Amino acid sequence: MIAPRVWCFGDNINTDLILPGPYLYRSPEEQARAVFQSNRPGWVDQVGKGDAIVAGFNFGMGSSRPAARSVRACGVGFLLAETINGLFFRNAVNYGLLACECPGVAAAFMEGDSAELSLEAWTVRNPRSGAVLAVTPVPAQLLALMRGGGLYPVMEARGLIAPA
Amino acid sequence: MGMTITEKILARASGAARVAPGDVAVVNVDTAVLLDLSFLPEGWREVLKVHDPSKVAIVFDHLVPASTVQAATCHQTGRAFAAKFGIERLHDVGAEQGISHAVIADRAYALPGSVLVNGDSHTCAGGAFNCAARGVGGPDMLWAITTGTAWFRVGETVRYDFTGRLRPGVTAKDLFLHIAGTYGAHVNQNVEYGGPGMSGLSINARRTIATMGAELSAEFTIFEPDDALIDYVRARNAAKFDPVWPDADATYKERRAIDLGALAPLVALPDAVVNQSVPVSEVAGTRIDQAFIGSCANGTLDDLEIAARVVRGRKVARGTRFIVTPGSQAVFRAALRAGYVETLLEAGAVVTPATCGACIGGHMGVLGPDEVCITASTRNFKGRMGDPSARIYMASPATVAASALAGHIAGAEEVFA
C-alpha cells in the first residue's frame, strides 16, 4: 500500500500528546481532533487519508487510553516506528490501526516523502531515495485483527457484546 | 534452558510447557479489573456474557467522587453491570474506594504467580506481588471479561539484582529514577527485580518501583517473591496461590546489579520520565507553585509517613499549594490513625480523598498555564497534570514535601541527617 505523504515524528511520542487527558471524556470524533495539539498544532487539518506516520523509538509510550483509535480516525493508513510501546501496540491491534516496527525507518524518511509498504515482503520503500527497509513482521493472528478492524467486530460476531 | 519469572507465569497460564521471546501467549486471566473509565460510553459496549464474575473486580478511581455528570453516569453504568452479572468485588465511592492498583494491593487481589489485567497502564503495580499484571486497552478488557483470556507477546527479560540497603531519606522513587535515568526505556522487554537487597525494600517500596514499570515502557515488571510478600498476601486474601521464582538457568537479555546504599535523591526534569534524572542539587531553588504526593505509585502509607516526617512542626511556603492524595481510603484511615494526616494538615497540606485526581490532570490539583509543579506520582509528561505549558518535575515524596516547605525545589537531607 502507498502512503501519499509521510509525517515524521521523533522519539518517545507519548499518549498525552496523542490523546490529551481532558479529551478522555469527549467523543471519539473530538478526541481525533486533538491529536498532537500540544506538539504539532494544526496537524489534524493537514494529514490526508492514507498518509503514514514515521516515528522514532517508543512511539505511544504512556497510558492505556485509546490513542491508537484517534490516530486511525485521523485517516492515517499506517504507522512505522523504530519501536512501538507495547501498550500502544495492543491498542493498535485491537482498534485496527496498522502499526509496525521498522529499524532504521526514522532516518530513511523525510517529511513529505511517500512510502510503499508491502505486508507480503515485509518491506517499506522510499520512492524518493529508493531505499528499501525490512519491516518486523507482526504475528499472523495479530495482523489479522489489525487489518480486520480490531477486536470489536470479533466480539460482536461471537455474541459477546451487543452491536454498536 | 530455564525460564524467567514472566515466562514461567505466562507458560503456566497458557497451558504450555514453555514460552520464549517472540511467542504470542494466549493465557487464562485470573483477575480482570475494570475502572470507572472502562464504562465511558465511547469505549464501553453492552456485555452479553461474562466468562466468570468471580474473576472480575470493578474499582472506580479516576473520577471519584464523581467530578462531572458524565463521571456519575459512568459509575451508574458500572454499578448496573456489576448487579447484572453478580460481580461482588465492586469498589464504589466510600470506605472501599481507592486507586485500582492501591485497592489491588490493600486486598491482595494480585496473587503471586497469577495473571491480572486492568484497563490502566500502571497495572504493572501488581508485579510487586510476583503477579504477571499488565495494563491493557479497553477492547482487551472486554475480551478478558467475556472470554477469560488475553494475548501477550513474550519479550526478552532484563533482570535487576539489588544489593545493600537504601540510606535514610533515599526512597524507592529515587531507586526508580536511578534506573530510569541510567538505563532508559525497556520497550518490549520484561523487567524482573530480585537479589539480596530486595527483601530490605518494604512491600510499599516495591509497589512504587513496580508501578513505575509503565514509565520504563516495560511489558511486565515483576518482583521475586519472599517471605514478607507471602505473609502480606496470606494476611489479606484467603485464595490459594503458587509463587514463581526464576529458573537458575533462565536467559536474560541483560543482568544489572544495583547497590542500593550508593543511591542519592534524584529529580526527573519535566516532560519525560526516562533519561531525565538529575541530582536534587542541580535544580534546587527552582520556584514551584504546587507540590503533589499521590497516585498509584506514591500514595502508599510509606509515602505519607515520610512526607509527614519531613513537614512535622513546619509550614508549607506561602504561595505554594501542597496536595496529598492517599492511594486508597484504607491508606487514608491508616494514615489518620498514625497521625500523619494531622501532621500534614497542620503544616498546610490539603489531603484529598483517594483518587487518581491530580496525577492525571483530572480534578483536585489541576495545573494552570506556566505553573511549576514537583510531583511524587507517575508521570511528568507535557500536559499531564493540566495546561501543556505547565512544568512538572518528578521526585520522591521526601523531596516533594521539603520543596513544599521551601516554595522551591529543595532536598530533605537535613531531616534525615
Side-chain angles (χ1 to χ4, degrees), chain B residues 241-311:
Chain B
F241 59 89
D242 193 1
V244 170
W245 281 264
D247 291 330
D249 58 346
T251 303
Y252 297 103
K253 179 170 178 62
E254 207 174 327
R255 242 183 133 134
R256 299 167 181 157
I258 295 180
D259 175 5
L260 302 183
L263 302 180
L266 296 168
V267 176
L269 301 174
D271 296 346
V273 176
V274 299
N275 303 125
Q276 294 270 93
S277 302
V278 299
V280 176
S281 58
E282 198 165 303
V283 285
T286 304
R287 193 195 61 79
I288 59 166
D289 298 288
Q290 180 167 309
F292 175 64
I293 296 174
S295 83
C296 45
N298 287 107
T300 73
L301 194 60
D302 289 15
D303 297 309
L304 272 58
E305 186 276 329
I306 203 165
R309 200 164 5 139
V310 169
V311 303

Side-chain angles (χ1 to χ4, degrees), chain B residues 5-333:
Chain B
I5 299 172
T6 312
E7 290 162 359
K8 287 172 83 168
I9 295 175
L10 295 181
R12 189 163 76 193
S14 64
R18 58 176 292 112
V19 299
D23 292 347
V24 174
V26 177
V27 305
N28 291 317
V29 171
D30 297 292
T31 311
V33 182
L34 294 163
L35 313 168
D36 44 12
L37 292 186
S38 305
F39 298 99
L40 278 170
E42 61 265 25
W44 184 251
R45 297 281 286 275
E46 186 193 345
V47 170
L48 303 177
K49 175 197 157 195
V50 170
H51 177 257
D52 183 349
S54 73
K55 291 184 172 174
V56 179
I58 301 172
V59 188
F60 298 159
D61 59 359
H62 283 65
L63 308 167
V64 287
S67 49
T68 62
V69 172
Q70 188 185 39
T73 309
C74 274
H75 297 164
Q76 288 175 321
T77 307
R79 286 179 201 119
F81 171 72
K84 180 177 177 186
F85 290 100
I87 293 163
E88 291 174 3
R89 292 188 287 182
L90 170 64
H91 292 262
D92 205 332
V93 176
E96 301 303 316
Q97 171 184 327
I99 303 170
S100 70
H101 316 300
V103 169
I104 287 166
D106 291 344
R107 306 293 286 267
Y109 288 163
L111 290 167
S114 73
V115 174
L116 181 148
V117 295
N118 171 335
D120 183 272
S121 57
H122 292 106
T123 300
C124 44
F129 301 94
N130 186 239
C131 173
R134 207 214 188 292
V136 298
D140 283 307
M141 286 308 301
L142 285 168
W143 183 260
I145 61 175
T146 56
T147 69
T149 65
W151 61 264
F152 295 109
R153 287 189 303 178
V154 182
E156 295 180 301
T157 299
V158 175
R159 161 85 180 199
Y160 287 90
D161 291 291
F162 299 141
T163 59
R165 211 176 172 87
L166 294 172
R167 292 184 293 119
V170 181
T171 73
K173 192 63 160 221
D174 300 305
L175 166 54
F176 167 77
L177 290 173
H178 169 75
I179 293 169
T182 308
Y183 300 107
H186 294 57
V187 183
N188 295 329
Q189 298 170 352
N190 308 308
V191 174
E192 296 185 7
Y193 296 110
M198 185 201 80
S199 289
L201 296 170
S202 70
I203 301 296
N204 286 339
R206 296 178 210 179
R207 287 172 52 200
T208 298
I209 296 161
T211 305
M212 295 303 290
E215 303 332 305
L216 297 177
S217 297
E219 286 293 308
F220 291 94
T221 329
I222 308 187
F223 275 76
E224 268 194 22
D226 65 356
D227 289 346
L229 176 75
I230 290 167
D231 291 346
Y232 178 101
V233 173
R234 285 209 176 117
R236 288 164 177 80
N237 190 336
K240 284 197 166 58
F241 59 89
D242 193 1
V244 170
W245 281 264
D247 291 330
D249 58 346
T251 303
Y252 297 103
K253 179 170 178 62
E254 207 174 327
R255 242 183 133 134
R256 299 167 181 157
I258 295 180
D259 175 5
L260 302 183
L263 302 180
L266 296 168
V267 176
L269 301 174
D271 296 346
V273 176
V274 299
N275 303 125
Q276 294 270 93
S277 302
V278 299
V280 176
S281 58
E282 198 165 303
V283 285
T286 304
R287 193 195 61 79
I288 59 166
D289 298 288
Q290 180 167 309
F292 175 64
I293 296 174
S295 83
C296 45
N298 287 107
T300 73
L301 194 60
D302 289 15
D303 297 309
L304 272 58
E305 186 276 329
I306 203 165
R309 200 164 5 139
V310 169
V311 303
R312 179 165 297 129
R314 301 178 64 186
K315 295 288 181 197
V316 171
R318 202 175 162 78
T320 301
R321 312 182 296 267
F322 184 24
I323 296 168
V324 179
T325 301
S328 68
Q329 293 301 94
V331 169
F332 199 141
R333 290 191 294 275

